[in-house]
Structure formats: C-alpha cells, structure tokens
C-alpha cells in the first residue's frame, strides 16, 4: 500500500506540475526542465527530443540497467485550454476540496506523471533488473504530434522496452484498445463576384459543400460497416466536420472558405483511404472552379495521424497490467492516445491511469486522492516486478 509520505509527496508535486501552464499553445520547456531536473537528481539518463523550432520538447529518461525488457511509463505534458470555461478556482493553482484535487491537468494527465515521479524515488533505490523508461511528450492534445519522434529514438537507440503503459485516465482499469485520430483542414480559394453573376467568379463556400458531403457519406459507410461484435462505444468509427468558415456576404461569391474534419477510425477502418479520395475530390473541385477562376485552388492539409490501439490479447503489456491491477475485464475506449503510436513501433502497449475521462477537458477538472493512491500502489507493484530477474 502507498505510504502517507508517498501520497503527500504526490499531492505536493502535482500542485507544482499544475502551476506550469502547459496549454498546447504554450511552450512546455519549463515543465520539462522541472521534471528533467528531478529525474537527473535520481540518476536517470535523460534525453530531450525537441520540435522543429525548439519551443517544445519530449523527455525520455531511463532509470535502471542498460538492458532490454523494461517498461515505458508514458504521459503527455500539455493540457487543453480553459478559455470560456466557468471554473470555481484558479485552474493553475491546485485546490483540494473533500478529497478531490482541482486544477487543469490533475486528471488529464499530470496526476499520472506525479505518481510516476514519486515512484521514481523508489525505483532509483532499488536493484532493478530491468529499467523504467519515462516518456513525456508534447502536443498530445492537438494530435499526438510530439510522441512519434521520441518513440523513434527509443526504438532506435535501445535498450528496447517490452511493454508500455500510457497513463491516460481509466480509473486504473486496463484498456486494451482505442480508436485512432486522423484530422484534416481543407482550405478553398475562389474568386469574388456579384452573386447574380455566378460565371464571373467561383464561390469557395459552395465548392466546399461536395467535399463535406463526401465526408458525411463516408461516415455513414463506416457506421454501416461496423461489425456486430464491435467493442467500442459508439461501435463504429466516426467522421465529423467540427469547424467551418468563409464568405463575406450573402450576395457575394465567397473568395475563401475552410473546414476541419476529425476522423476517429476503429481498428478496421481506413482513414488514409478516405483522405486519399478526399484529395482526389478536392482536385476535381479545383478543376471545376478554374473554369471561371484560373487562380482558384483547394488544399487539403493533414493535421494529425494517430493509429488506433489494436487489442492484442495476451501481449506482454496486457499480461503485466492485469497482474499489477488484478483487472481481467476486456475494455476499449473511443478517445485516442499515443498508445497506438507505441504499438505501431513494435512496443506492446495498454492504457491504464488514475482519474476518470469524464473529468478530462471539463471546467473544475479534478482527480480523487484515492485514485492517486491506487496509481502509487500500481507503481510499487511494478517496481517489485522489475526487481525480479525475469
């Protein structure tokens, strides 16, 4: 069982982590420097993997021997915005009320990171036979953009882990599958003209309609094709158009229009195929627009591409997580994470972390202290396993 000292350290550390405003639009470097310093003090071997302009970084750290067969504890450092949300307290100053810790990121997912860092103190004192990898990424909330470069380094540079645990909030229950994430932004440039003179221009808004209709139709196809025994809720992959804009006035052919679409494919759906056909349709729309506006163009920008986590029965990660939790249920979720990226790179992966996903992204986000205690117990049992010779 987690000691009172461990719980108090975790509570205090979580408050310090919450104080770093790592909203995805901001740099996370101060957060990374804080965490890195703590791990270096424990003897960890640390490597930062930065984004192109150096404003953000992933952190990969290893405690224990330079040996294969270790376990990755993965979490994201960024949080979603609080803009427009009605909070009862400062979202970046953690507050405790009735056994609940309130603040942006308490649940999603700095609570897990705090538990991992407190557990690291015990890992560092232990005679580990296999290492613990800490993998903390940037920009997960905007499409898991940071993790791939870090995962590539982990796989290429060794030692190779045998399992990965992504600490997204699951109430410490084992999740073995989730949907993917594939998003695009479509930008259309036409030519303005009086709305009574449609052949003098090309309306970008009107030209967006068949492309959005295509996505709407594909969403219906995915829904109809879902297997009867799908473990997901909803049981099918989804395609939505969440944002759109364009035009100046109702009596002017729009010069510009745009929309953004988010796909959440189930493991059997092919988001890449939908994206390919969307680009082909966009070229056809562009050609039609250029009949009246030679400078017209339609661009499809891919914004994120995160593979689904495929249930992998009896994988090393699933066996380990079930042994550590005693949870033998089969469970999937509809949100995405970097778990599919680790799995795609050849590292068996599950999702298991403290807190409830129902609190994620909400005003007055919180995590229960007993969830942190359960996560600390999980970490203690993980340490015991890593001290074993096999």
């Amino acid at each position: 069982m987690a000691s009172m000292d461990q719980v108090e350290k975790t509570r205090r550390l979580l408050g310090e982590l919450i104080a770093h405003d790592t909203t995805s639009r901001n740099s996370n470097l101060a957060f990374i420097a804080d965490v890195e310093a703590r791990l270096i003090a424990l003897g960890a071997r640390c490597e930062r993997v930065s984004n192109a302009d150096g404003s953000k970084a992933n952190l990969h750290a290893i405690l224990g021997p330079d040996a294969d067969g270790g376990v990755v504890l993965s979490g994201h450092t960024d949080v979603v915005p609080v803009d427009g949300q009605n909070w009862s307290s400062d979202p970046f100053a953690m507050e405790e009320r009735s056994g609940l810790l309130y603040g942006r990121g308490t649940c999603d997912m700095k609570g897990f990171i705090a538990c991992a860092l407190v557990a690291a103190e015990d890992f560092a004192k232990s005679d580990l036979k296999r290492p613990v990898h800490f993998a903390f990424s940037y920009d997960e909330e905007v499409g898991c953009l940071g993790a791939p470069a870090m995962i590539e380094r982990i796989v290429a540079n060794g030692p190779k882990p045998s399992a990965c645990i992504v600490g997204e909030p699951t109430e410490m229950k084992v999740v073995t599958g989730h949907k993917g994430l594939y998003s695009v932004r479509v930008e259309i440039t036409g030519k303005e003209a009086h709305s009574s003179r449609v052949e003098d221009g090309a309306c970008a808004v009107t030209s967006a309609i068949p492309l959005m209709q295509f996505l709407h139709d594909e969403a219906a196809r995915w829904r109809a094709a879902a297997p009867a025994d799908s473990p997901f809720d909803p049981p099918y992959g989804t395609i939505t158009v969440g944002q759109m804009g364009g035009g100046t006035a109702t009596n002017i052919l729009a010069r510009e229009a745009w929309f953004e679409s988010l796909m959440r494919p189930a493991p059997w759906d092919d988001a890449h195929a939908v994206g390919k056909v969307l680009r082909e349709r966009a070229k056809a729309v562009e050609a039609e627009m250029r009949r009246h506006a030679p400078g017209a163009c339609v661009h499809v920008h891919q914004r994120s591409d995160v593979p689904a986590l495929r249930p992998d029965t009896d994988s090393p990660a699933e066996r380990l997580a079930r042994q550590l939790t005693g949870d033998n249920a089969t469970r999937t979720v509809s949100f995405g994470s970097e778990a599919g990226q680790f799995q795609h790179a050849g590292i068996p992966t599950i999702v298991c972390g403290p807190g409830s996903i129902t609190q994620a992204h909400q005003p007055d986000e919180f995590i229960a202290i007993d969830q942190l205690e359960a996560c600390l117990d999980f970490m203690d049992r993980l340490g015991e396993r890593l001290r074993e010779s096999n």
Side-chain angles (χ1 to χ4, degrees):
M1 295 289 293
S3 69
M4 291 299 295
D5 182 56
Q6 284 179 310
V7 175
E8 181 54 37
K9 282 183 178 179
T10 304
R11 187 190 334 223
R12 185 169 60 251
L13 175 54
L14 179 55
E16 294 171 6
L17 297 181
I18 295 303
H20 291 287
D21 180 357
T22 54
T23 305
S24 301
R25 61 180 171 238
N26 300 334
S27 171
N28 73 335
L29 293 183
F31 182 99
I32 289 295
D34 185 354
V35 172
E36 183 181 48
R38 296 172 191 273
L39 289 169
I40 288 175
L42 297 174
R45 306 180 294 283
C46 295
E47 179 188 22
R48 294 193 192 190
V49 183
S50 300
N51 65 348
D53 64 10
S55 62
K56 299 182 181 183
N58 304 299
L59 179 66
H60 175 220
I62 303 176
L63 270 176
D66 187 16
D68 292 342
V71 175
V72 178
L73 300 176
S74 178
H76 61 82
T77 65
D78 60 320
V79 297
V80 297
V82 299
D83 307 35
Q85 293 186 336
N86 185 22
W87 283 73
S88 301
S89 56
D90 183 346
F92 298 106
M94 192 179 75
E95 183 174 303
E96 180 179 347
R97 301 195 295 273
S98 303
L100 305 178
L101 301 175
Y102 289 84
R104 174 56 87 223
T106 49
C107 160
D108 185 21
M109 57 181 298
K110 292 179 180 178
F112 175 79
I113 293 175
C115 288
L117 292 174
V118 169
E121 298 179 16
D122 290 328
F123 295 152
K125 301 172 187 174
S126 300
D127 181 22
L128 299 180
K129 301 299 188 296
R130 290 169 290 160
V132 180
H133 298 249
F134 302 87
F136 302 140
S137 60
Y138 66 85
D139 280 358
E140 189 272 352
E141 294 289 7
V142 292
C144 296
L145 302 183
M150 176 173 57
I151 295 170
E152 183 179 347
R153 297 283 276 272
I154 292 172
V155 171
N157 297 343
K160 185 175 181 181
S162 63
C164 174
I165 297 164
V166 176
E168 288 281 357
T170 67
E171 299 178 291
M172 295 308 299
K173 298 173 182 175
V174 179
V175 168
T176 60
H178 66 56
K179 293 179 180 179
L181 189 70
Y182 186 95
S183 63
V184 295
R185 178 182 174 92
V186 179
E187 297 177 346
I188 305 168
T189 303
K191 180 183 177 184
E192 290 180 325
H194 194 283
S195 61
S196 68
R197 303 282 300 175
V198 294
E199 295 194 357
D200 289 349
C203 181
V205 169
T206 301
S207 298
I209 293 172
L211 300 178
M212 290 190 287
Q213 182 65 49
F214 164 71
L215 294 172
H216 178 74
D217 293 343
E218 286 298 291
R221 187 178 66 80
W222 278 12
R223 181 170 186 161
D229 61 350
S230 168
F232 292 98
D233 180 20
Y236 46 86
T238 57
I239 304 175
T240 56
V241 175
Q243 289 184 293
M244 60 182 296
T248 303
T250 56
N251 60 352
I252 302 174
L253 300 186
R255 182 180 182 276
E256 294 180 343
W258 61 272
F259 66 88
E260 295 191 0
S261 175
L262 177 62
M263 307 180 203
R264 294 187 181 273
W268 53 81
D269 294 319
D270 191 346
H272 293 111
V274 175
K276 181 175 182 292
V277 176
L278 177 65
R279 288 177 175 82
E280 293 170 353
R281 298 287 182 96
K283 286 297 182 185
V285 168
E286 181 182 83
E288 178 62 23
M289 294 176 71
R290 287 182 175 179
R291 292 178 54 219
H292 305 293
C297 60
V298 182
H299 291 300
V300 180
H301 305 278
Q302 180 180 306
R303 303 196 51 153
S304 59
D305 182 7
V306 182
L309 176 65
R310 297 177 177 274
D312 185 10
T313 303
D314 205 34
S315 74
E318 182 177 337
R319 290 198 306 271
L320 174 65
R322 294 199 186 287
Q323 290 164 359
L324 298 180
T325 62
D327 178 14
N328 293 315
T330 299
R331 193 175 291 105
T332 61
V333 293
S334 293
F335 63 78
S337 77
E338 70 271 23
Q341 294 171 324
F342 277 98
Q343 185 185 63
H344 188 71
I347 301 175
T349 304
I350 58 90
V351 182
C352 183
S356 169
I357 195 64
T358 60
Q359 290 304 314
H361 302 188
Q362 300 297 312
D364 284 349
E365 176 184 347
F366 68 78
I367 192 168
I369 293 175
D370 61 11
Q371 281 287 298
L372 297 178
E373 293 173 350
C375 187
L376 289 168
D377 291 343
F378 178 94
M379 296 290 179
D380 284 345
R381 291 190 289 269
L382 174 61
E384 292 173 4
R385 290 299 306 274
L386 294 176
R387 288 191 291 271
E388 298 173 358
S389 57
N390 55 49

